[in-house]
Amino acid sequence: MTSDLPNRKLQRLANYDYSSPNYYFVTLCTSQKCNIFGSVNKLSKIGIVAENELCNIEKNFDNVIIDKYVVMPNHVHAIIVIQNSEKTYSLSQIIGWYKAGVARKVHKTHPDINVWQKSFYDRIIRGDSQYAQICKYIDENKNKLCCLRNGDI
């Protein structure tokens, strides 16, 4: 049976162990890129849930650090650090736990909202220079949106 759906591009790097210690830059988008998280300066109740669950990752995964993040109106950027540990989790497991936690809490008060797009974008951060570029991108992404809303750009 053939499908009329387009082939999805593989998101992950082939033959790479995504549970290995490293820094990862991830972007998660809301379903249909709807602005459900509020604004950069004032998160909605759903945005607060998304931020709180992101911070809870460190409490639930002892080998994971959320190094830097921003919750935007329709997506989340984060640098996730997986450290050496006897108990390891893959990046997909961590993101799956996060997305499920946000969706579960949102559905308690808004059962009609589909929170997330399928999958997520990730990039393995390779070196200090790339780390600095990504940190700058996260900061500028937030600042750029604030300027656009204020008419400064």
Side-chain angles (χ1 to χ4, degrees):
M1 183 166 128
T2 60
S3 172
D4 293 335
L5 298 174
N7 289 332
R8 286 185 64 137
K9 178 183 153 203
L10 292 177
Q11 299 286 343
R12 309 289 164 258
L13 186 62
N15 302 317
Y16 182 82
D17 179 4
Y18 280 88
S19 63
S20 63
N22 215 330
Y23 284 65
Y24 301 90
F25 173 52
V26 297
T27 300
L28 302 96
C29 294
T30 60
S31 178
Q32 299 185 12
K33 297 192 179 176
C34 291
N35 294 334
I36 60 173
F37 293 150
S39 69
V40 173
N41 294 325
K42 183 160 175 48
L43 295 176
S44 67
K45 288 180 182 179
I46 295 172
I48 291 169
V49 169
E51 182 175 54
N52 288 343
E53 285 298 296
L54 195 61
C55 295
N56 284 336
I57 288 173
E58 291 183 8
K59 295 175 188 169
N60 289 283
F61 298 92
D62 62 352
N63 68 320
V64 177
I65 295 171
I66 303 302
D67 186 64
K68 186 173 188 70
Y69 72 89
V70 64
V71 177
M72 303 292 284
N74 63 3
H75 63 284
V76 174
H77 291 302
I79 296 176
I80 297 177
V81 183
I82 298 178
Q83 299 177 311
N84 261 332
S85 175
E86 287 183 25
K87 181 81 173 167
T88 60
Y89 299 92
S90 71
L91 186 62
S92 291
Q93 288 173 310
I94 296 162
I95 297 300
W97 178 90
Y98 168 69
K99 289 171 75 172
V102 173
R104 191 171 32 257
K105 288 185 177 172
V106 168
H107 289 157
K108 286 181 181 177
T109 54
H110 305 296
D112 55 320
I113 293 179
N114 186 8
V115 180
W116 300 110
Q117 260 184 15
K118 287 185 180 183
S119 198
F120 61 96
Y121 169 81
D122 70 81
R123 182 174 187 172
I124 302 162
I125 300 175
R126 299 174 187 198
D128 293 340
S129 172
Q130 200 172 67
Y131 174 80
Q133 286 177 327
I134 291 169
C135 286
K136 183 179 177 186
Y137 174 79
I138 290 172
D139 292 339
E140 286 179 352
N141 196 259
K142 178 180 177 177
N143 294 337
K144 183 177 178 181
L145 183 63
C146 289
C147 289
L148 282 170
R149 294 265 160 86
N150 294 330
D152 296 339
I153 293 180

PDB file of all heavy atoms in Angstrom, residues 66-89:
ATOM      1  N   ILE A  66      19.700  21.733  32.389  1.00  0.00           N
ATOM      2  CA  ILE A  66      19.165  22.691  31.422  1.00  0.00           C
ATOM      3  C   ILE A  66      20.051  23.919  31.550  1.00  0.00           C
ATOM      4  O   ILE A  66      19.985  24.668  32.521  1.00  0.00           O
ATOM      5  CB  ILE A  66      17.684  23.046  31.721  1.00  0.00           C
ATOM      6  CG1 ILE A  66      16.824  21.780  31.744  1.00  0.00           C
ATOM      7  CG2 ILE A  66      17.166  24.058  30.704  1.00  0.00           C
ATOM      8  CD1 ILE A  66      16.860  20.966  30.476  1.00  0.00           C
ATOM      9  N   ASP A  67      20.924  24.101  30.586  1.00  0.00           N
ATOM     10  CA  ASP A  67      21.958  25.131  30.656  1.00  0.00           C
ATOM     11  C   ASP A  67      21.414  26.516  30.340  1.00  0.00           C
ATOM     12  O   ASP A  67      21.749  27.488  30.998  1.00  0.00           O
ATOM     13  CB  ASP A  67      23.080  24.762  29.681  1.00  0.00           C
ATOM     14  CG  ASP A  67      24.259  25.693  29.788  1.00  0.00           C
ATOM     15  OD1 ASP A  67      24.891  25.704  30.857  1.00  0.00           O
ATOM     16  OD2 ASP A  67      24.530  26.410  28.803  1.00  0.00           O
ATOM     17  N   LYS A  68      20.583  26.617  29.337  1.00  0.00           N
ATOM     18  CA  LYS A  68      20.026  27.896  28.898  1.00  0.00           C
ATOM     19  C   LYS A  68      18.737  27.583  28.159  1.00  0.00           C
ATOM     20  O   LYS A  68      18.641  26.578  27.471  1.00  0.00           O
ATOM     21  CB  LYS A  68      21.008  28.613  27.980  1.00  0.00           C
ATOM     22  CG  LYS A  68      20.596  30.018  27.575  1.00  0.00           C
ATOM     23  CD  LYS A  68      21.736  30.674  26.804  1.00  0.00           C
ATOM     24  CE  LYS A  68      21.478  32.119  26.547  1.00  0.00           C
ATOM     25  NZ  LYS A  68      21.521  32.985  27.706  1.00  0.00           N
ATOM     26  N   TYR A  69      17.747  28.440  28.305  1.00  0.00           N
ATOM     27  CA  TYR A  69      16.490  28.208  27.591  1.00  0.00           C
ATOM     28  C   TYR A  69      15.724  29.511  27.433  1.00  0.00           C
ATOM     29  O   TYR A  69      15.993  30.502  28.121  1.00  0.00           O
ATOM     30  CB  TYR A  69      15.613  27.184  28.324  1.00  0.00           C
ATOM     31  CG  TYR A  69      15.005  27.711  29.598  1.00  0.00           C
ATOM     32  CD1 TYR A  69      13.763  28.363  29.584  1.00  0.00           C
ATOM     33  CD2 TYR A  69      15.655  27.580  30.819  1.00  0.00           C
ATOM     34  CE1 TYR A  69      13.202  28.860  30.749  1.00  0.00           C
ATOM     35  CE2 TYR A  69      15.105  28.077  31.978  1.00  0.00           C
ATOM     36  CZ  TYR A  69      13.874  28.715  31.944  1.00  0.00           C
ATOM     37  OH  TYR A  69      13.325  29.210  33.094  1.00  0.00           O
ATOM     38  N   VAL A  70      14.749  29.473  26.554  1.00  0.00           N
ATOM     39  CA  VAL A  70      13.781  30.551  26.425  1.00  0.00           C
ATOM     40  C   VAL A  70      12.473  29.930  25.938  1.00  0.00           C
ATOM     41  O   VAL A  70      12.480  29.057  25.073  1.00  0.00           O
ATOM     42  CB  VAL A  70      14.250  31.686  25.489  1.00  0.00           C
ATOM     43  CG1 VAL A  70      14.415  31.221  24.058  1.00  0.00           C
ATOM     44  CG2 VAL A  70      13.305  32.877  25.555  1.00  0.00           C
ATOM     45  N   VAL A  71      11.381  30.377  26.551  1.00  0.00           N
ATOM     46  CA  VAL A  71      10.052  29.976  26.098  1.00  0.00           C
ATOM     47  C   VAL A  71       9.514  31.136  25.271  1.00  0.00           C
ATOM     48  O   VAL A  71       9.338  32.246  25.775  1.00  0.00           O
ATOM     49  CB  VAL A  71       9.110  29.666  27.281  1.00  0.00           C
ATOM     50  CG1 VAL A  71       7.713  29.317  26.781  1.00  0.00           C
ATOM     51  CG2 VAL A  71       9.680  28.536  28.140  1.00  0.00           C
ATOM     52  N   MET A  72       9.305  30.874  24.003  1.00  0.00           N
ATOM     53  CA  MET A  72       8.787  31.863  23.066  1.00  0.00           C
ATOM     54  C   MET A  72       7.279  31.629  22.906  1.00  0.00           C
ATOM     55  O   MET A  72       6.758  30.647  23.416  1.00  0.00           O
ATOM     56  CB  MET A  72       9.511  31.720  21.727  1.00  0.00           C
ATOM     57  CG  MET A  72      11.030  31.862  21.801  1.00  0.00           C
ATOM     58  SD  MET A  72      11.567  33.514  22.210  1.00  0.00           S
ATOM     59  CE  MET A  72      11.310  34.329  20.648  1.00  0.00           C
ATOM     60  N   PRO A  73       6.562  32.510  22.203  1.00  0.00           N
ATOM     61  CA  PRO A  73       5.111  32.317  22.072  1.00  0.00           C
ATOM     62  C   PRO A  73       4.692  30.975  21.467  1.00  0.00           C
ATOM     63  O   PRO A  73       3.670  30.413  21.857  1.00  0.00           O
ATOM     64  CB  PRO A  73       4.682  33.477  21.167  1.00  0.00           C
ATOM     65  CG  PRO A  73       5.700  34.543  21.429  1.00  0.00           C
ATOM     66  CD  PRO A  73       6.990  33.792  21.641  1.00  0.00           C
ATOM     67  N   ASN A  74       5.496  30.445  20.531  1.00  0.00           N
ATOM     68  CA  ASN A  74       5.090  29.199  19.878  1.00  0.00           C
ATOM     69  C   ASN A  74       6.205  28.154  19.791  1.00  0.00           C
ATOM     70  O   ASN A  74       6.095  27.202  19.032  1.00  0.00           O
ATOM     71  CB  ASN A  74       4.531  29.481  18.484  1.00  0.00           C
ATOM     72  CG  ASN A  74       5.559  30.084  17.549  1.00  0.00           C
ATOM     73  OD1 ASN A  74       6.716  30.255  17.902  1.00  0.00           O
ATOM     74  ND2 ASN A  74       5.133  30.408  16.348  1.00  0.00           N
ATOM     75  N   HIS A  75       7.261  28.343  20.548  1.00  0.00           N
ATOM     76  CA  HIS A  75       8.316  27.336  20.578  1.00  0.00           C
ATOM     77  C   HIS A  75       9.208  27.533  21.799  1.00  0.00           C
ATOM     78  O   HIS A  75       9.127  28.552  22.482  1.00  0.00           O
ATOM     79  CB  HIS A  75       9.154  27.343  19.294  1.00  0.00           C
ATOM     80  CG  HIS A  75       9.902  28.597  19.024  1.00  0.00           C
ATOM     81  ND1 HIS A  75       9.319  29.748  18.546  1.00  0.00           N
ATOM     82  CD2 HIS A  75      11.226  28.891  19.156  1.00  0.00           C
ATOM     83  CE1 HIS A  75      10.239  30.683  18.390  1.00  0.00           C
ATOM     84  NE2 HIS A  75      11.410  30.189  18.753  1.00  0.00           N
ATOM     85  N   VAL A  76      10.021  26.524  22.050  1.00  0.00           N
ATOM     86  CA  VAL A  76      10.962  26.541  23.167  1.00  0.00           C
ATOM     87  C   VAL A  76      12.339  26.223  22.612  1.00  0.00           C
ATOM     88  O   VAL A  76      12.488  25.290  21.822  1.00  0.00           O
ATOM     89  CB  VAL A  76      10.575  25.487  24.237  1.00  0.00           C
ATOM     90  CG1 VAL A  76      11.632  25.405  25.327  1.00  0.00           C
ATOM     91  CG2 VAL A  76       9.204  25.775  24.822  1.00  0.00           C
ATOM     92  N   HIS A  77      13.329  27.012  23.011  1.00  0.00           N
ATOM     93  CA  HIS A  77      14.741  26.708  22.719  1.00  0.00           C
ATOM     94  C   HIS A  77      15.395  26.320  24.043  1.00  0.00           C
ATOM     95  O   HIS A  77      15.140  26.967  25.061  1.00  0.00           O
ATOM     96  CB  HIS A  77      15.502  27.939  22.206  1.00  0.00           C
ATOM     97  CG  HIS A  77      15.111  28.421  20.857  1.00  0.00           C
ATOM     98  ND1 HIS A  77      15.171  27.631  19.730  1.00  0.00           N
ATOM     99  CD2 HIS A  77      14.691  29.642  20.443  1.00  0.00           C
ATOM    100  CE1 HIS A  77      14.795  28.344  18.684  1.00  0.00           C
ATOM    101  NE2 HIS A  77      14.491  29.565  19.084  1.00  0.00           N
ATOM    102  N   ALA A  78      16.241  25.314  24.011  1.00  0.00           N
ATOM    103  CA  ALA A  78      16.966  24.938  25.224  1.00  0.00           C
ATOM    104  C   ALA A  78      18.297  24.303  24.861  1.00  0.00           C
ATOM    105  O   ALA A  78      18.422  23.638  23.828  1.00  0.00           O
ATOM    106  CB  ALA A  78      16.142  23.965  26.056  1.00  0.00           C
ATOM    107  N   ILE A  79      19.260  24.535  25.722  1.00  0.00           N
ATOM    108  CA  ILE A  79      20.519  23.796  25.663  1.00  0.00           C
ATOM    109  C   ILE A  79      20.452  22.779  26.794  1.00  0.00           C
ATOM    110  O   ILE A  79      20.347  23.146  27.967  1.00  0.00           O
ATOM    111  CB  ILE A  79      21.743  24.713  25.816  1.00  0.00           C
ATOM    112  CG1 ILE A  79      21.827  25.686  24.637  1.00  0.00           C
ATOM    113  CG2 ILE A  79      23.025  23.871  25.928  1.00  0.00           C
ATOM    114  CD1 ILE A  79      22.945  26.709  24.749  1.00  0.00           C
ATOM    115  N   ILE A  80      20.460  21.519  26.410  1.00  0.00           N
ATOM    116  CA  ILE A  80      20.369  20.424  27.368  1.00  0.00           C
ATOM    117  C   ILE A  80      21.717  19.735  27.426  1.00  0.00           C
ATOM    118  O   ILE A  80      22.295  19.382  26.393  1.00  0.00           O
ATOM    119  CB  ILE A  80      19.266  19.429  26.939  1.00  0.00           C
ATOM    120  CG1 ILE A  80      17.906  20.146  26.955  1.00  0.00           C
ATOM    121  CG2 ILE A  80      19.264  18.197  27.836  1.00  0.00           C
ATOM    122  CD1 ILE A  80      16.752  19.290  26.482  1.00  0.00           C
ATOM    123  N   VAL A  81      22.205  19.557  28.639  1.00  0.00           N
ATOM    124  CA  VAL A  81      23.495  18.912  28.851  1.00  0.00           C
ATOM    125  C   VAL A  81      23.251  17.537  29.465  1.00  0.00           C
ATOM    126  O   VAL A  81      22.641  17.431  30.530  1.00  0.00           O
ATOM    127  CB  VAL A  81      24.394  19.746  29.791  1.00  0.00           C
ATOM    128  CG1 VAL A  81      25.764  19.079  29.942  1.00  0.00           C
ATOM    129  CG2 VAL A  81      24.527  21.178  29.307  1.00  0.00           C
ATOM    130  N   ILE A  82      23.707  16.516  28.772  1.00  0.00           N
ATOM    131  CA  ILE A  82      23.670  15.162  29.322  1.00  0.00           C
ATOM    132  C   ILE A  82      25.069  14.865  29.841  1.00  0.00           C
ATOM    133  O   ILE A  82      26.047  14.955  29.093  1.00  0.00           O
ATOM    134  CB  ILE A  82      23.227  14.128  28.270  1.00  0.00           C
ATOM    135  CG1 ILE A  82      21.801  14.438  27.796  1.00  0.00           C
ATOM    136  CG2 ILE A  82      23.327  12.707  28.838  1.00  0.00           C
ATOM    137  CD1 ILE A  82      21.281  13.500  26.720  1.00  0.00           C
ATOM    138  N   GLN A  83      25.139  14.532  31.123  1.00  0.00           N
ATOM    139  CA  GLN A  83      26.424  14.266  31.765  1.00  0.00           C
ATOM    140  C   GLN A  83      26.650  12.767  31.903  1.00  0.00           C
ATOM    141  O   GLN A  83      25.722  11.967  31.782  1.00  0.00           O
ATOM    142  CB  GLN A  83      26.447  14.911  33.154  1.00  0.00           C
ATOM    143  CG  GLN A  83      26.273  16.408  33.128  1.00  0.00           C
ATOM    144  CD  GLN A  83      26.222  16.983  34.522  1.00  0.00           C
ATOM    145  OE1 GLN A  83      25.494  16.502  35.381  1.00  0.00           O
ATOM    146  NE2 GLN A  83      27.016  18.027  34.752  1.00  0.00           N
ATOM    147  N   ASN A  84      27.893  12.405  32.212  1.00  0.00           N
ATOM    148  CA  ASN A  84      28.232  11.012  32.489  1.00  0.00           C
ATOM    149  C   ASN A  84      27.453  10.543  33.702  1.00  0.00           C
ATOM    150  O   ASN A  84      27.361  11.261  34.694  1.00  0.00           O
ATOM    151  CB  ASN A  84      29.725  10.871  32.782  1.00  0.00           C
ATOM    152  CG  ASN A  84      30.488  10.396  31.577  1.00  0.00           C
ATOM    153  OD1 ASN A  84      29.960   9.702  30.721  1.00  0.00           O
ATOM    154  ND2 ASN A  84      31.754  10.773  31.507  1.00  0.00           N
ATOM    155  N   SER A  85      26.911   9.351  33.619  1.00  0.00           N
ATOM    156  CA  SER A  85      26.171   8.784  34.737  1.00  0.00           C
ATOM    157  C   SER A  85      25.980   7.301  34.480  1.00  0.00           C
ATOM    158  O   SER A  85      25.991   6.847  33.334  1.00  0.00           O
ATOM    159  CB  SER A  85      24.810   9.471  34.860  1.00  0.00           C
ATOM    160  OG  SER A  85      24.032   8.862  35.851  1.00  0.00           O
ATOM    161  N   GLU A  86      25.795   6.534  35.565  1.00  0.00           N
ATOM    162  CA  GLU A  86      25.502   5.115  35.393  1.00  0.00           C
ATOM    163  C   GLU A  86      24.136   4.936  34.746  1.00  0.00           C
ATOM    164  O   GLU A  86      23.932   4.069  33.923  1.00  0.00           O
ATOM    165  CB  GLU A  86      25.548   4.404  36.744  1.00  0.00           C
ATOM    166  CG  GLU A  86      26.952   4.235  37.277  1.00  0.00           C
ATOM    167  CD  GLU A  86      26.971   3.462  38.577  1.00  0.00           C
ATOM    168  OE1 GLU A  86      26.044   2.674  38.833  1.00  0.00           O
ATOM    169  OE2 GLU A  86      27.933   3.668  39.338  1.00  0.00           O
ATOM    170  N   LYS A  87      23.179   5.765  35.130  1.00  0.00           N
ATOM    171  CA  LYS A  87      21.829   5.711  34.572  1.00  0.00           C
ATOM    172  C   LYS A  87      21.743   6.778  33.499  1.00  0.00           C
ATOM    173  O   LYS A  87      21.814   7.968  33.787  1.00  0.00           O
ATOM    174  CB  LYS A  87      20.810   5.977  35.686  1.00  0.00           C
ATOM    175  CG  LYS A  87      19.396   5.936  35.248  1.00  0.00           C
ATOM    176  CD  LYS A  87      18.886   4.530  35.155  1.00  0.00           C
ATOM    177  CE  LYS A  87      17.391   4.561  34.881  1.00  0.00           C
ATOM    178  NZ  LYS A  87      16.875   3.311  34.482  1.00  0.00           N
ATOM    179  N   THR A  88      21.654   6.361  32.257  1.00  0.00           N
ATOM    180  CA  THR A  88      21.604   7.335  31.168  1.00  0.00           C
ATOM    181  C   THR A  88      20.258   7.294  30.468  1.00  0.00           C
ATOM    182  O   THR A  88      19.597   6.257  30.396  1.00  0.00           O
ATOM    183  CB  THR A  88      22.715   7.069  30.130  1.00  0.00           C
ATOM    184  OG1 THR A  88      22.535   5.763  29.600  1.00  0.00           O
ATOM    185  CG2 THR A  88      24.089   7.215  30.740  1.00  0.00           C
ATOM    186  N   TYR A  89      19.881   8.434  29.981  1.00  0.00           N
ATOM    187  CA  TYR A  89      18.658   8.593  29.202  1.00  0.00           C
ATOM    188  C   TYR A  89      19.033   9.256  27.891  1.00  0.00           C
ATOM    189  O   TYR A  89      19.930  10.090  27.843  1.00  0.00           O
ATOM    190  CB  TYR A  89      17.652   9.479  29.946  1.00  0.00           C
ATOM    191  CG  TYR A  89      17.233   8.901  31.275  1.00  0.00           C
ATOM    192  CD1 TYR A  89      17.903   9.238  32.447  1.00  0.00           C
ATOM    193  CD2 TYR A  89      16.169   8.010  31.347  1.00  0.00           C
ATOM    194  CE1 TYR A  89      17.514   8.698  33.661  1.00  0.00           C
ATOM    195  CE2 TYR A  89      15.778   7.474  32.554  1.00  0.00           C
ATOM    196  CZ  TYR A  89      16.450   7.820  33.710  1.00  0.00           C
ATOM    197  OH  TYR A  89      16.073   7.286  34.908  1.00  0.00           O
TER     198      TYR A  89
END
